[in-house]
Amino acid sequence: MSITMDTTLASLVTNKRRVSALKSLGIVTVGDALTYYPFRVTEPVPLRAIREAAPGQQMAFAAVIRDMRVVPMNARRGYRLEATVDDADFARSRRVPGSTARLTFFSYRKSYVDWVSMRLRAGTSVVVSGMPSEYMGQLQFTHPEILTVAPGSAGAGAGLEGYARGAASGNGAFAGSTDPYASVQSAYPPAVAASSGAALKYDADTVREALTRVCRPRPVYHASSRISSEHIHETILGLLWMMGGRTSSTPDGQLAGAGSAGIVAPTTDTIAVQNGEENSGTTAESGAEALSQSIPDVLPESVRKAKNLMHRAEAFLAIHDPASTTRFKEAIETLRYEEAFVSQTSLLKARSHAHKSAAHSCPLVTDSLRDQFIASLPFSLTAGQQQVIHDIAADLAHDWPMQRLLQGEVGSGKTVVALAAMLQAVDAGYQAVLVAPTQVLAEQHAETIGRMVEQLKPAIPVTLLTGGMKLAARRKALAAASSGEPGIIVATHAAFSKTFQAPHLALVVIDEQHRFGVEQRESLNAKTDDGTTPHLLVMTATPIPRTAAMTWFGDLDISWLTELPGGRKPIRTVVVNEADAATMGRMFAHIRARVDAGERAYIVCPRIDADDEGNEGGSGVSAAAGSARGRAAASGSSARTAAGGRATRAAADAIGIDDPYETFDENGETVARPPLHAVAEIADRLQKLPQFQGIRFATLTGRDKDDIKTQVMADFAGGETPILVSTTVIEVGVDVKQASCIVIFDADRYGLSQLHQLRGRVGRGGTNSWAFLISRAEPGSPAEQRLEVIHHSLDGAEIAQADLEFRGAGDVLGDAQSGGKSSLKLLRVVKDADMIADARTRAEQLLAADPELADEVQLAGAVLDFTRGNETFLTSS
């Protein structure tokens, strides 16, 4: 069986519970496993004899078990196992006297104690790694890592003096020699075959092998309650062994031969070892050549050599089985540059492809609809709006498709700019489509646009098409679009369906483009019958730092709207500790006063209701909500449990947090956090407060049907239900002029950019407005620091920059954005701006010489995978 990056783990890993646990982390194939990068690597563990031990300092040594006993703990349930070890032979190699120490284990489970007892029988050679302490005058190691060594043909103490000339020249495990264990082989010879009746399995054949394993730097992975970092590491090493990686990556940049430490062959109860592979030799050929055949390089050879980078196979080895922390960092840099190069090549190819396509030219005409529209506006356009409208007009006049991103603050007037562009297309005799992510937003757009163009001559038909329309209305809308009559079509995802046809489509405007995948975006390019590609304008109010925009929208021209229209007052942002009952009471009284003055208030919660599965274990809903990804309440994207697993679909639908900041302990496991607040719970609690007596509440969530959403929003805007308790379904495009207050529960668990988006729902009518961020963050914690950023800033780009820096700080591994599984895991747009620029330059040179990548098959495949896998072109770190 030939193993490739696409081979499924289910066909290789025999432990089905482990397969399931890995799947919950998103690891399904060999490629998923190898690109599940550790978030840190431990420092090498120094070798020390027992007499050299210093309490509180990690160390490793070889010893022999002298005696072992199990003591029942009478004062409490459970057992204490104590084993005495003697390192006389190992100490002699370090030229110090031998000594003894105690290894101590505690457990409530008799089965665990029995298992440890079986491994630590008197006379067994072991390698110990742990943190020494002192107890009752004796050196003690509590729950150390133990590797048992198979019995050798000679005594365990023979010939150890030579070892002192290698590793023993210093306290560090790697001091004095690139292979500190070169002399240990004579001291601890290879194991002889155990008797046929022996049931014991030893962890290592030689002391040298065991010392290598415990002393080398070890990667630490984000783990879960279902699978530990150690088991993740064990699985990945087993896969590398199966693919031919029999040896480790050495500091000189080569895959070592038989003289170096090898990757331990996986046991058959972990990996399905293929016939004939159990006794495969450990040679340079079986390491370097076999692994590189299974894992071909993606980067062109010329680029790799120019940048002095590792081969891809070598980088995977150096990350998952590092010989040193320096080697680990070099491998991370190699794969980070690979991501930069693939992403930039993909964007450049997309841009080149667009410029080769034909499009309908839409030049401006005298007394144009666009100019009529601008003249009819009751306000003056900002300088930024005028400039962007001018740029778009020039693009639309070309006979190749415009591809432009319009990045603008919440309320900066993007809709006016988009409508001016659509009227230019209609004036030229063509159709224009505006695609919105939700039915509520589509209906608002259709109503607003219809009202703004009703005075224009000739009349402009505005057609609404949504998935929630009744059949007769839907058919009428589809017929209007398929007629080809010049006009404006406002649609939801229904525009991507096969039933939608617009034969004279010249312009596509996508609002909040991050809600749509690349493939959806491109599907509209095939809607014309004459072979032309529509002009494309994508808009987003999600703050994107310029470095990120230049990186992920490299296939688009970018326009920025930074000025707010006149009359908008700054939103006052207040961070409230939920435990501060007095402040919470004053806040609710303030909201009641604003409601009595005829204004409206939003109350935002991250969950719809408590999830039964999430309540197991006494952690409330946090288990399902703690690490949710994506705007699940609005779009139904997947959610990850706080333990690293996947929540149920119901839990995913109930979570509205965009990008919560998970917290991990030193072993990479997620830390449990308080339960998230739910819409139903908060609505019930608030209605019982004296401040809200006589006030009608409404609720709105992503689970509500479209007609219910429409009615709820109408009642809210009309004042029948002046307080709306909702999930983040209101985050994008909801425009209620009378809304002046927004309360966001669990604000410390949201991404800063999403908080900024939510805050932009108020103050749209020129009134004073307030945003209250309810937090349970600990004083001085990173969560509290994040909220201080949004407390003191109304600049979306500044907030987004801080968002990226907070998410990427100190963490090698980034996270996939909502809406799709990102191919990017290492690249950081803020810190790696120079690397991205270099990769773009080299990608341009490569594409100039080989536009179709005919000579770079692996790169071409990676570019295709990138385009398919990155549905958002946004990053999180």
Side-chain angles (χ1 to χ4, degrees):
M1 176 181 174
S2 177
I3 302 176
T4 69
M5 298 286 279
D6 295 323
T7 303
T8 61
L9 294 189
S11 64
L12 297 174
V13 179
T14 53
N15 186 330
K16 299 309 175 188
R17 292 183 64 183
R18 183 173 297 188
V19 171
S20 176
L22 290 169
K23 185 177 180 180
S24 72
L25 296 176
I27 304 173
V28 177
T29 66
V30 172
D32 294 335
L34 297 188
T35 56
Y36 191 78
Y37 301 117
F39 71 95
R40 69 180 177 91
V41 65
T42 64
E43 292 296 325
V45 178
L47 292 173
R48 291 175 186 161
I50 292 175
R51 283 190 180 273
E52 298 172 308
Q57 297 183 15
Q58 192 83 8
M59 61 176 282
F61 62 95
V64 176
I65 303 292
R66 290 307 178 206
D67 60 66
M68 183 271 299
R69 65 174 185 153
V70 176
V71 182
M73 294 185 290
N74 295 325
R76 50 181 178 170
R77 294 184 301 109
Y79 305 87
R80 182 178 76 251
L81 184 149
E82 296 177 349
T84 303
V85 293
D86 182 347
D87 74 337
D89 294 328
F90 179 79
R92 189 179 304 119
S93 73
R94 299 192 54 87
R95 297 176 180 171
V96 295
S99 187
T100 61
R102 182 167 53 211
L103 312 181
T104 305
F105 301 84
F106 299 93
S107 180
Y108 292 112
R109 291 186 295 140
K110 185 67 165 59
S111 58
Y112 172 78
V113 173
D114 291 341
W115 176 73
V116 175
S117 302
M118 180 179 66
R119 299 180 73 225
L120 303 186
R121 294 182 301 183
T124 301
S125 295
V126 293
V127 165
V128 180
S129 174
M131 193 86 71
S133 60
E134 189 173 335
Y135 179 70
M136 297 183 68
Q138 186 174 4
L139 200 68
Q140 174 175 280
F141 293 82
T142 304
H143 285 275
E145 180 181 1
I146 301 288
L147 294 184
T148 58
V149 181
S153 56
L160 266 173
E161 289 75 9
Y163 185 62
R165 295 190 296 271
S169 60
N171 280 344
F174 294 90
S177 172
T178 57
D179 182 9
Y181 312 108
S183 308
V184 185
Q185 192 65 35
S186 60
Y188 292 89
V192 296
S195 61
S196 59
L200 277 179
K201 289 184 179 179
Y202 294 96
D203 299 315
D205 290 338
T206 65
V207 167
R208 172 190 169 190
E209 175 190 316
L211 287 172
T212 300
R213 286 168 58 184
V214 301
C215 288
R216 288 170 68 87
R218 261 180 295 183
V220 183
Y221 303 83
H222 286 317
S224 76
S225 59
R226 298 179 62 188
I227 185 168
S228 66
S229 174
E230 289 78 10
H231 283 157
I232 295 171
H233 188 213
E234 176 188 13
T235 303
I236 293 173
L237 289 185
L239 296 172
L240 286 170
W241 190 92
M242 288 295 297
M243 298 177 81
R246 303 295 196 262
T247 57
S248 303
S249 178
T250 59
D252 64 2
Q254 303 298 320
L255 288 171
S260 277
I263 295 177
V264 179
T267 59
T268 53
D269 59 355
T270 303
I271 300 288
V273 179
Q274 307 301 307
N275 291 334
E277 291 189 345
E278 295 88 340
N279 300 316
S280 296
T282 303
T283 66
E285 290 73 24
S286 67
E289 294 182 10
L291 196 60
S292 62
Q293 289 173 7
S294 301
I295 309 174
D297 215 346
V298 168
L299 287 175
E301 185 71 10
S302 58
V303 173
R304 188 170 70 83
K305 288 185 175 179
K307 297 294 293 180
N308 194 29
L309 302 173
M310 301 180 186
H311 188 283
R312 193 175 200 224
E314 185 184 356
F316 280 136
L317 270 178
I319 287 173
H320 297 297
D321 190 35
S324 66
T325 53
T326 300
R327 194 68 177 152
F328 173 84
K329 292 174 183 176
E330 290 173 357
I332 289 290
E333 286 302 296
T334 290
L335 294 180
R336 182 172 287 144
Y337 190 88
E338 177 189 289
E339 289 185 354
F341 194 86
V342 169
S343 63
Q344 294 307 304
T345 303
S346 175
L347 294 172
L348 288 169
K349 277 183 65 67
R351 191 181 186 92
S352 174
H353 178 74
H355 284 182
K356 293 177 182 177
S357 304
H360 292 299
S361 175
C362 303
L364 275 175
V365 297
T366 305
D367 191 29
S368 66
L369 288 170
R370 190 201 75 168
D371 292 342
Q372 288 184 49
F373 162 65
I374 293 175
S376 71
L377 291 172
F379 52 84
S380 299
L381 296 178
T382 66
Q385 286 174 313
Q386 294 177 26
Q387 182 62 51
V388 174
I389 289 174
H390 174 76
D391 293 341
I392 291 174
D395 288 346
L396 291 176
H398 294 146
D399 58 1
W400 65 82
M402 169 183 73
Q403 288 198 300
R404 184 171 290 275
L405 166 70
L406 178 55
Q407 153 79 65
E409 280 287 352
V410 174
S412 60
K414 295 184 299 298
T415 304
V416 170
V417 172
L419 181 51
M422 290 189 287
L423 288 173
Q424 184 172 337
V426 172
D427 224 359
Y430 300 109
Q431 296 169 292
V433 173
L434 170 61
V435 185
T438 66
Q439 176 164 329
V440 169
L441 184 54
E443 290 172 345
Q444 286 190 357
H445 276 318
E447 180 183 352
T448 302
I449 291 172
R451 190 170 59 248
M452 297 174 86
V453 303
E454 63 184 359
Q455 301 299 327
L456 302 183
K457 302 295 182 183
I460 309 299
V462 178
T463 304
L464 175 65
L465 175 64
T466 70
M469 295 174 72
K470 292 184 178 179
L471 184 58
R474 181 180 173 85
R475 284 178 175 171
K476 183 178 179 180
L478 288 171
S482 61
S483 71
E485 178 187 2
I488 295 173
I489 303 162
V490 181
T492 57
H493 292 71
F496 304 120
S497 69
K498 293 180 180 179
T499 57
F500 175 74
Q501 296 295 328
H504 294 157
L505 184 59
L507 173 64
V508 175
V509 180
I510 295 183
D511 194 12
E512 291 304 324
Q513 84 87 36
H514 62 281
R515 295 295 187 93
F516 302 103
V518 176
E519 292 179 4
Q520 286 180 318
R521 193 176 83 183
E522 293 181 346
S523 70
L524 285 170
N525 290 347
K527 293 300 181 183
T528 54
D529 296 334
D530 53 12
T532 59
T533 299
H535 298 282
L536 177 66
L537 175 65
V538 293
M539 305 191 300
T540 180
T542 300
I544 309 168
R546 290 178 181 262
T547 52
M550 295 302 292
T551 303
W552 301 126
F553 296 95
D555 58 333
L556 306 175
D557 297 308
I558 304 176
S559 296
W560 308 83
L561 286 178
T562 56
E563 303 171 72
L564 292 181
R568 292 291 297 271
K569 296 181 179 179
I571 303 169
R572 304 174 193 179
T573 304
V574 183
V575 179
V576 181
N577 188 323
E578 189 174 343
D580 185 350
T583 303
M584 292 284 287
R586 289 196 301 271
M587 176 189 72
F588 290 134
H590 171 80
I591 293 172
R592 174 60 188 261
R594 302 321 307 164
V595 168
D596 288 344
E599 296 169 9
R600 315 281 185 270
Y602 296 106
I603 312 289
V604 178
C605 304
R607 292 181 64 78
I608 297 175
D609 49 32
D611 182 74
D612 292 336
E613 183 174 320
N615 283 326
E616 291 178 8
S619 61
V621 296
S622 61
S627 55
R629 299 289 179 199
R631 298 173 176 81
S635 59
S637 57
S638 61
R640 197 185 303 172
T641 66
R646 293 281 172 187
T648 63
R649 178 57 184 267
D653 287 340
I655 300 168
I657 284 184
D658 175 17
D659 269 309
Y661 298 83
E662 290 175 306
T663 52
F664 300 94
D665 62 20
E666 62 180 10
N667 293 319
E669 296 196 17
T670 48
V671 176
R673 294 182 291 184
L676 295 169
H677 290 298
V679 168
E681 164 217 349
I682 291 298
D684 182 61
R685 283 171 52 186
L686 295 187
Q687 290 179 83
K688 295 176 181 177
L689 293 177
Q691 292 95 327
F692 296 121
Q693 291 301 309
I695 297 294
R696 290 186 61 195
F697 281 67
T699 61
L700 183 68
T701 74
R703 287 186 194 161
D704 293 332
K705 294 181 179 179
D706 289 335
D707 57 342
I708 294 177
K709 291 179 184 177
T710 302
Q711 185 60 50
V712 167
M713 289 307 301
D715 291 345
F716 177 64
E720 292 184 39
T721 52
I723 297 181
L724 178 63
V725 185
S726 78
T727 59
T728 53
V729 70
I730 64 150
E731 176 187 350
V732 174
V734 172
D735 188 2
V736 177
K737 304 296 185 187
Q738 301 90 339
S740 64
C741 295
I742 184 168
V743 178
I744 305 172
F745 280 92
D746 296 305
D748 52 302
R749 306 275 284 273
Y750 288 82
L752 295 184
S753 295
Q754 192 181 23
L755 287 175
H756 183 62
Q757 278 281 82
L758 289 166
R759 179 170 61 180
R761 295 309 101 206
V762 297
R764 304 173 75 86
T767 60
N768 290 323
S769 55
W770 294 263
F772 299 98
L773 310 181
I774 312 303
S775 168
R776 288 182 283 184
E778 294 291 331
S781 66
E784 185 181 64
Q785 295 169 21
R786 288 194 299 271
L787 291 181
E788 282 302 302
V789 171
I790 201 158
H791 177 209
H792 294 292
S793 177
L794 292 170
D795 185 332
E798 177 185 329
I799 290 167
Q801 184 85 5
D803 209 4
L804 286 176
E805 291 171 355
F806 271 120
R807 298 184 197 189
D811 196 345
V812 169
L813 177 62
D815 294 300
Q817 269 285 341
S818 61
K821 179 180 172 184
S822 174
S823 301
L824 295 165
K825 297 186 175 180
L826 300 173
L827 198 62
R828 303 161 302 184
V829 295
V830 176
K831 297 181 180 179
D832 298 328
D834 292 341
M835 176 186 290
I836 292 166
D838 180 88
R840 191 176 184 86
T841 300
R842 293 180 188 275
E844 287 173 342
Q845 296 169 354
L846 176 68
L847 289 172
D850 184 7
E852 300 303 320
L853 300 178
D855 297 330
E856 301 292 344
V857 177
Q858 296 300 327
L859 176 61
V863 166
L864 182 61
D865 289 342
F866 175 87
T867 303
R868 290 173 175 171
N870 286 270
E871 298 237 317
T872 65
F873 281 75
L874 292 176
T875 61
S876 65
S877 67

